[in-house]
Amino acid sequence: MEALGAFVILLSLFVLFVLVAVYATRVRKVGPNEVLVISGRKRRNPETGEIEPYRIVKGGRAFIWPVLERVDTLSLELMTIEIVTDDVYTIQGVAITLEGVAQIKVASDDVSIRTAAERFLSKSRAEIINVAHETLAGHLRAIIGTLTVEQIYRERDVFAQSVQDVSASDLSNMGLGIDTFVIKDVRDKEGYLEALGRPRIAEVKRDATIAEQMARTREAESMRDYELQKAAYDNEVSRKRAEANLAGTLQENKTNQLVRAEQVQIEVIEKKKQIEVQEQEALRRERELEATVRKPAEARQYEIQTLASAEKFEIRARAEAEADAIRIKGEAEADAIRARGLAEAEAMKQKAAAWENYTQAALIQQIIDRLPEVASAVSAPLAKTERIVVISNGDGKGAGASKISGDIASIISQVPATVEALTGLNLIDALNRVPGMTAAAPAPNGSAEPAKPEEA
């Protein structure tokens, strides 16, 4: 029984393994670039409810029943179709050759996939491209016949879009979709397109020449602007460099000034230290002098002052005694002077009263009384002269001693003029007005000499 149980278990495991292996081999995974068309069994479409002889699987996976179902793959990848149409006539009758490229693929919607499956499931990729190529080429030739060369050449995008729009309907009927269609080249054998391009070529060359000249002009302007900017930059650099040099010089001067100030400060400190040393030396010398000179000198001075004070006291006592004697004598002399002064003042007062009663004649008499004194004063220098040497040139006016006597007489004759200058009194006129006196005859020099009084 145990062996039978083990056999049943092993058999079950084997059957399970076989079923898993068969399932694994019959399950198909569907990529995003393909569609599975499974046929062989009819099934109801869950979306439309219709009975379909095949089913379409997009993405995911599907189990294919062995013996009962068949699976085919329909590619959804792009197919590139190159189309060349030779010598197709335009509406103008100009034969042109056109090259284009189209990108087509099986459309992704279910209707297009079913349509493409019905038409191309058993065909190869090359056969599908050939069918699409013929369809596009036919529409391309038909559209070329309705356009001019200029429209095809200048409006390629519009032309390509027209081809794409017209071909889309026919391709859609086959389950195909056109993604893009572009014109690669348009040419002709007669040189029509070349002739069309010549004006444009000339225009382009002209524009190129103008552009080149403008470029050269802009280049020259750029060079000029560059030179101006460079000159301005150089000037700025020179100015900044000069400012930097000046700043460096100023900074150097400031640094030198600071260094000099520090040196001066050091010198000041050194001088202060020297002064302090000198002061200390002077203080030392002063103390030395005080100990060696000043103290003995002060002692000597004190001794001298003491002796002088004693002597001064003695002298003061003697002087006070003498001063008392002088004071007593001075008081006596002052009394005598006071008495004499009072007497003289009284005499002057009486004399002034007498002068008030004097006449001019009395005044003249006083002056005449003083004339001998004037003559004595004039001749006084001669009296002190030991020897007189007279040098005469013999001009006939006297010589020798007579010359000296004449000079003295001339000096005496100028006395009246001197009196008049000092007192304002004309002595000659006054004498003439005195009764009994007459003016003397004028002297040879024009001055009048008074008559000499008789000697008593």
Side-chain angles (χ1 to χ4, degrees):
M1 292 296 294
E2 292 180 356
L4 180 62
F7 176 76
V8 171
I9 293 173
L10 290 174
L11 181 62
S12 299
L13 292 175
F14 177 75
V15 171
L16 179 62
F17 177 76
V18 170
L19 292 176
V20 170
V22 171
Y23 180 81
T25 57
R26 300 306 295 177
V27 171
R28 292 286 302 274
K29 295 180 181 179
V30 184
N33 61 338
E34 62 183 356
V35 175
L36 294 181
V37 180
I38 303 172
S39 60
R41 285 190 319 120
K42 293 183 179 181
R43 62 181 296 274
R44 185 182 297 276
N45 190 334
E47 295 181 358
T48 63
E50 296 179 355
I51 301 298
E52 297 178 345
Y54 57 88
R55 60 191 176 100
I56 304 297
V57 179
K58 295 186 299 181
R61 64 181 179 273
F63 180 77
I64 311 300
W65 291 99
V67 180
L68 299 179
E69 292 183 335
R70 172 187 171 182
V71 60
D72 294 295
T73 303
L74 184 64
S75 177
L76 299 180
E77 293 180 350
L78 282 175
M79 293 176 284
T80 301
I81 302 175
E82 293 187 359
I83 304 171
V84 179
T85 59
D86 294 328
D87 298 333
V88 180
Y89 288 92
T90 64
I91 193 173
Q92 300 165 316
V94 179
I96 63 173
T97 299
L98 188 143
E99 294 182 6
V101 177
Q103 302 290 340
I104 65 171
K105 63 183 288 294
V106 176
S108 299
D109 59 284
D110 292 342
V111 176
S112 298
I113 291 174
R114 294 179 185 277
T115 303
E118 293 174 358
R119 289 168 173 75
F120 303 114
L121 190 61
S122 61
K123 296 185 180 296
S124 64
R125 181 182 180 87
E127 292 175 334
I128 297 172
I129 291 174
N130 184 52
V131 172
H133 177 274
E134 294 300 326
T135 301
L136 290 172
H139 288 295
L140 185 60
R141 291 186 179 91
I143 294 174
I144 290 174
T146 63
L147 299 175
T148 64
V149 178
E150 288 81 357
Q151 289 175 328
I152 296 172
Y153 178 75
R154 295 174 181 173
E155 301 176 0
R156 292 189 181 189
D157 293 339
V158 176
F159 173 62
Q161 187 63 40
S162 299
V163 174
Q164 185 174 345
D165 293 340
V166 173
S167 303
S169 177
D170 292 342
L171 293 175
S172 178
N173 293 333
M174 292 182 289
L176 300 176
I178 180 169
D179 284 355
T180 62
F181 177 77
V182 294
I183 304 299
K184 289 177 61 178
D185 186 25
V186 178
R187 60 183 180 273
D188 70 300
K189 298 178 180 179
E190 304 296 333
Y192 185 88
L193 292 174
E194 183 180 358
L196 288 178
R198 286 176 182 172
R200 180 57 184 165
I201 293 173
E203 183 180 355
V204 170
K205 289 183 178 179
R206 181 199 64 193
D207 294 342
T209 303
I210 294 173
E212 183 178 0
Q213 293 177 352
M214 293 180 64
R216 291 179 179 175
T217 302
R218 284 194 295 270
E219 183 179 0
E221 292 176 352
S222 300
M223 182 61 67
R224 180 200 61 192
D225 296 339
Y226 168 75
E227 293 295 336
L228 291 176
Q229 292 179 358
K230 184 176 182 299
Y233 174 76
D234 292 340
N235 291 334
E236 184 68 17
V237 169
S238 299
R239 187 176 64 83
K240 291 295 184 181
R241 185 178 293 111
E243 291 178 355
N245 293 334
L246 181 59
T249 304
L250 293 176
Q251 186 62 38
E252 183 179 0
N253 293 335
K254 290 181 179 179
T255 304
N256 292 335
Q257 290 178 355
L258 293 176
V259 172
R260 181 55 184 166
E262 293 296 332
Q263 292 178 350
V264 171
Q265 187 67 24
I266 293 172
E267 293 177 357
V268 170
I269 294 173
E270 290 179 353
K271 290 182 179 179
K272 285 184 178 179
K273 294 298 182 181
Q274 292 177 359
I275 292 173
E276 291 178 359
V277 172
Q278 292 176 358
E279 289 178 351
Q280 294 295 330
E281 181 66 19
L283 182 60
R284 185 189 66 78
R285 291 181 180 179
E286 182 180 0
R287 290 177 181 177
E288 182 179 358
L289 290 174
E290 183 177 1
T292 58
V293 178
R294 187 177 300 165
K295 292 297 183 180
E298 287 179 354
R300 178 62 179 167
Q301 182 180 2
Y302 178 75
E303 180 182 0
I304 294 172
Q305 288 179 351
T306 303
L307 296 175
S309 297
E311 186 177 357
K312 187 186 298 182
F313 178 77
E314 182 180 358
I315 291 172
R316 184 182 297 113
R318 190 183 305 114
E320 289 178 354
E322 293 178 354
D324 290 337
I326 292 171
R327 178 174 55 78
I328 294 172
K329 183 178 179 180
E331 290 177 354
E333 290 180 354
D335 291 338
I337 292 171
R338 186 181 301 108
R340 191 183 305 114
L342 292 175
E344 290 180 355
E346 184 63 26
M348 290 295 290
K349 185 185 296 183
Q350 294 177 1
K351 190 175 182 179
W355 276 103
E356 289 179 358
N357 296 324
Y358 271 14
T359 61
Q360 189 176 19
L363 180 59
I364 294 171
Q365 183 64 39
Q366 292 291 331
I367 294 173
I368 292 173
D369 292 340
R370 296 293 182 180
L371 286 178
E373 297 179 4
V374 173
S376 176
V378 171
S379 60
L382 294 176
K384 297 179 181 180
T385 303
E386 295 180 358
R387 187 176 62 181
I388 297 175
V389 178
V390 179
I391 299 173
S392 175
N393 54 5
D395 56 357
K397 294 182 180 181
S402 62
K403 175 64 176 178
I404 295 173
S405 300
D407 291 338
I408 293 173
S410 176
I411 293 172
I412 295 300
S413 66
Q414 294 176 6
V415 171
T418 303
V419 172
E420 183 179 4
L422 295 175
T423 63
L425 176 63
N426 191 330
L427 186 60
I428 303 301
D429 291 342
L431 290 176
N432 290 333
R433 286 195 298 270
V434 175
M437 298 185 69
T438 58
N445 57 0
S447 61
E449 294 183 358
K452 296 182 179 179
E454 298 179 355
E455 295 182 359

